[in-house]
Amino acid sequence: MPGADKETELKGRIEDFLADLKRGGSGTGALRGSGEMARETTYLLRRITAQARWSSAGDLMEIIRHEGRRITAAQPSETTVGNMVRRVLKIIREEYASTASGTSAKQNMVDHVIDGLVEDLSVQIKSNQILFVTYTWLGHEMATGLSKVIIGTQTVLANGGLRAVNGTHSVALAARHHSTPLIVCAPMFKLSPQFPNEEDTFHKFVSPHEVLPFTAGEILSKVNVHCPVFDYVPPELISNIGGNAPSYIYRLMSELYHPEDHKL
Amino acid sequence: REEKRLVEYFRTQVRQDPEVPSAVAAIRTLLEFLKRDQSETILGLRENLTQTIRRLEEADSSVAVSSGGELFLRFISLTSLEHPDLSQCKKVMVERGELFLKKISLSRSKVAKLCHTFIKDGAKILTHSSSRVVLKVLESAAADKKRFTVYVTESQPDSAGRQMADKLRKLNIPVTVVLDAAVGYIMEKVDLVIVGAEGVVESGGIINKIGTYQLAVCSKAHNKPFYVVAESFKFVRLYPLNQQDVPERFKYKADTLKAVEDLAEEHPMIDYTPPSLITLIFTDLGVLTPSAVSDELIKLYL
């Protein structure tokens, strides 16, 4: 039956996506970088909206929430995926509030808006080029007078703090010490309604063989080496997140996501 | 007279159920008044309600009674434009009042649900004086099988901290009472500070039992997170810039205000903590940074 085929095809795609997520995270594998991940998630959600069976906005939200939970469980440190799911849920709520007509009209509307979201994403990814900063020379440079420090981040948290690549906290502290403004550039899909209290999902650790290779010998049995990928940068050290103060983040958050969707 | 009877009703409410927030008791009283009221016009009704709120404020000078009363008034007044007929209007007002009461009775559990995830296993928590909301938060965290220890300040002049310690002991939570003056000494040992609030002001700061400001300054100096837990009906339309800006009627107990001539001799019971010292505020409207409070306040009062 054609209906059953579509369902199995959809399930297959979701499973593939989950496998990609588990394998790579960002940086390696098919899903390289948060932008790519955000785009893939949106495509998947659009597919689910088009092909899954639902008869009311509530049904659709439940389906998306269910899939969203599975996807975020696959790679908890990748908040982009969860953010996209929450954004879509907010879009559905908005559409439901503004339309009064039947299901087919709704379906078209939601598809239309998700298309718009994908467009939105491609524009943002092009316009927010992340500038490369060399960490080793930074302290020296700042002492002799840099005008500003611009960094990217993996996630912007709900309190205005960041979850950024290891070393960013040191950069932020150096900038604060030399009174250099610290500016963060991040696309909207990196804004996450999380707070920095969730210990188990905050950090991701990788193999320390780049710091202490296996050829180091005897010493390996005597030391414990931890290699976290991310750093927490508190909001007090940040001057600006793309035109907004860190204390304004809550406002952007309320425009993008609905409070009930904070916990999927 | 009628007003005396209502104040008595309020006092009995508070006495019968010490767990209920004083603002909820005040709103129950106002609802009762609404049902009994005999005024002929909507304006008369509003005036009577405002008078009653003022009487209740004289009976209990806490900020929450004042803010709760004002919110109740606003919540039900939205109906007065829709129904020209007074009896119809009053019926709708009573319905809305009941709805409002039901909503705020659940707010404490909502706050506890949001906050207890911020308490990690093995945490050492410092709290100030006796707050029923903080108690609920710690209760939820304990029910979630988390292990933590609590330090409570004694909180003079009424030693409210000791009552808090007793309640915590009943929940099998290890607790130590510390002197108010020992806050600086104990700060290096604790992981986080959680306090309740009597009122949350527009700037995102809080009004709470005297000694809270000291606690906040100390925790900032030691870089410890300072969390506030408060229900949304405590949001009040004040913007104090310093300690002197807080209105006198909130600073002292109701009996003191009536009995004493020269308030300069009295010790204030509350102080103001500015938003720069507060990390996060947990309310039934969500987890807010102090800068988000004014937005939420506007939404509530509009």
Side-chain angles (χ1 to χ4, degrees):
Chain A
M1 284 186 296
D5 277 342
K6 267 200 177 169
E7 273 199 43
T8 42
E9 195 208 335
L10 182 63
K11 278 203 171 69
R13 278 194 193 266
I14 299 177
E15 294 304 323
D16 284 341
F17 185 69
L18 285 173
D20 274 337
L21 268 181
K22 279 192 195 133
R23 208 182 309 133
S26 60
T28 57
L31 294 168
R32 230 175 307 261
S34 312
E36 198 49 53
M37 199 164 297
R39 228 196 305 264
E40 287 301 312
T41 316
T42 326
Y43 286 149
L44 187 68
L45 290 171
R46 184 170 60 181
R47 228 173 239 284
I48 296 176
T49 323
Q51 293 179 345
R53 243 176 289 171
W54 52 275
S55 55
S56 71
D59 282 346
L60 179 60
M61 279 176 58
E62 201 36 59
I63 294 175
I64 294 199
R65 207 172 274 148
H66 175 77
E67 295 305 328
R69 259 174 267 162
R70 288 181 67 208
I71 302 176
T72 44
Q75 188 68 259
S77 63
E78 267 313 317
T79 45
T80 329
V81 176
N83 297 344
M84 288 287 94
V85 176
R86 290 186 187 98
R87 185 83 188 97
V88 170
L89 286 170
K90 177 95 197 287
I91 291 173
I92 297 173
R93 281 175 201 267
E94 285 173 357
E95 282 307 314
Y96 180 72
S98 60
T99 56
S101 44
T103 0
S104 52
K106 240 181 269 163
Q107 194 149 8
N108 290 335
M109 281 268 183
V110 178
D111 272 344
H112 182 69
V113 181
I114 297 189
D115 274 333
L117 185 68
V118 175
E119 292 270 319
D120 213 41
L121 269 181
S122 8
V123 169
Q124 283 181 7
I125 293 168
K126 280 192 204 109
S127 59
N128 288 71
Q129 299 296 331
I130 298 171
L131 292 165
F132 183 65
V133 176
T134 47
Y135 295 132
T136 43
W137 276 100
L138 210 50
H140 177 83
E141 289 298 322
M142 279 199 227
T144 52
L146 272 183
S147 63
K148 53 175 83 82
V149 179
I150 306 181
I151 55 172
T153 176
Q154 199 254 5
T155 312
V156 178
L157 301 164
N159 65 342
L162 306 178
R163 182 152 97 213
V165 144
N166 219 334
T168 317
H169 195 184
S170 322
V171 171
L173 287 170
R176 170 51 54 107
H177 180 75
H178 293 283
S179 303
T180 319
L182 181 73
I183 300 174
V184 181
C185 286
M188 292 291 241
F189 59 79
K190 287 189 177 171
L191 256 67
S192 170
Q194 273 182 343
F195 281 93
N197 66 314
E198 281 141 53
E199 282 184 324
D200 18 332
T201 50
F202 190 88
H203 273 301
K204 195 167 84 163
F205 292 88
V206 292
S207 158
H209 72 261
E210 287 170 32
V211 179
L212 191 62
F214 290 121
T215 51
E218 278 272 331
I219 194 171
L220 284 177
S221 55
K222 300 192 183 125
V223 297
N224 276 323
V225 188
H226 299 283
C227 208
V229 177
F230 301 122
D231 247 354
Y232 171 62
V233 183
E236 293 82 43
L237 299 173
I238 304 167
S239 323
N240 227 308
I241 301 183
N244 306 306
S247 54
Y248 194 66
I249 291 296
Y250 76 90
R251 195 57 182 277
L252 297 173
M253 212 70 74
S254 67
E255 285 170 23
L256 289 177
Y257 314 119
H258 192 272
E260 281 178 26
D261 299 330
H262 284 344
K263 239 187 155 54
L264 277 177
Chain B
R1 253 186 45 204
E2 183 64 42
E3 288 174 353
K4 277 216 170 78
R5 235 181 306 153
L6 280 164
V7 175
E8 256 320 299
Y9 183 87
F10 172 68
R11 290 229 170 90
T12 6
Q13 286 282 322
V14 175
R15 242 192 323 238
Q16 277 176 342
D17 191 2
E19 283 303 304
V20 83
S22 46
V24 173
I27 290 169
R28 278 202 197 125
T29 317
L30 290 172
L31 209 52
E32 192 55 40
F33 168 79
L34 198 59
K35 289 180 193 152
R36 293 185 202 168
D37 180 66
Q38 304 290 336
S39 35
E40 303 284 299
T41 64
I42 293 178
L43 193 60
L45 182 62
R46 264 192 79 92
E47 278 185 19
N48 288 346
L49 269 173
T50 329
Q51 269 282 69
T52 323
I53 294 177
R54 219 162 288 147
R55 289 286 156 275
L56 288 176
E57 281 175 24
E58 285 176 17
D60 182 348
S61 66
S62 57
V63 183
V65 169
S66 171
S67 61
E70 213 193 315
L71 280 167
F72 178 76
L73 203 57
R74 270 170 204 271
F75 192 77
I76 63 170
S77 320
L78 292 171
T79 62
S80 59
L81 302 164
E82 299 164 26
H83 304 272
D85 175 37
L86 182 65
S87 50
Q88 176 74 316
C89 186
K90 268 218 334 227
K91 201 154 64 92
V92 178
M93 275 191 180
V94 170
E95 274 170 20
R96 296 197 69 165
E98 305 269 354
L99 194 66
F100 186 67
L101 197 60
K102 210 190 311 171
K103 202 163 64 116
I104 63 175
S105 313
L106 298 169
S107 33
R108 210 182 265 169
S109 349
K110 278 198 210 160
V111 176
K113 204 157 62 141
L114 278 175
C115 188
H116 80 260
T117 49
F118 280 69
I119 299 175
K120 303 183 182 138
D121 220 15
K124 298 197 195 66
I125 303 169
L126 176 59
T127 184
H128 183 60
S129 186
S130 177
S131 165
R132 288 164 292 197
V133 193
V134 176
L135 191 63
K136 189 102 200 200
V137 169
L138 297 176
E139 212 182 300
S140 313
D144 210 20
K145 304 280 193 297
K146 294 223 176 98
R147 286 159 300 172
F148 54 91
T149 49
V150 182
Y151 296 95
V152 194
T153 56
E154 203 182 23
S155 180
Q156 298 294 10
D158 55 359
S159 292
R162 294 195 180 275
Q163 294 166 13
M164 180 77 166
D166 287 334
K167 289 186 207 162
L168 284 168
R169 270 188 212 110
K170 287 206 190 85
L171 295 169
N172 282 329
I173 297 173
V175 56
T176 315
V177 178
V178 299
L179 291 173
D180 293 342
V183 161
Y185 171 79
I186 203 93
M187 193 55 77
E188 58 188 34
K189 282 200 227 173
V190 302
D191 296 319
L192 66 150
V193 184
I194 306 181
V195 298
E198 299 208 13
V200 179
V201 297
E202 271 188 74
S203 58
I206 60 164
I207 294 179
N208 198 25
K209 184 78 184 291
I210 192 104
T212 312
Y213 180 44
Q214 244 154 256
L215 205 63
V217 173
C218 232
S219 53
K220 186 83 184 185
H222 285 263
N223 229 341
K224 309 282 180 185
F226 186 82
Y227 297 133
V228 174
V229 286
E231 304 101 313
S232 62
F233 57 76
K234 290 180 175 165
F235 281 26
V236 64
R237 301 203 65 178
L238 277 178
Y239 204 112
L241 297 172
N242 54 23
Q243 304 298 333
Q244 312 306 322
D245 268 354
V246 180
E248 298 262 296
R249 66 180 198 276
F250 294 135
K251 278 193 189 163
Y252 309 96
K253 281 198 142 73
D255 326 330
T256 327
L257 283 166
K258 276 185 272 199
V260 173
E261 287 290 316
D262 185 12
L263 284 170
E265 298 283 313
E266 291 297 317
H267 300 293
M269 294 297 285
I270 57 160
D271 62 21
Y272 163 66
T273 307
S276 51
L277 302 172
I278 301 172
T279 319
L280 287 173
I281 304 182
F282 296 86
T283 68
D284 46 311
L285 303 167
V287 184
L288 308 172
T289 48
S291 29
V293 168
S294 57
D295 259 14
E296 293 297 326
L297 228 146
I298 292 173
K299 278 191 240 166
L300 266 183
Y301 275 89
L302 223 47

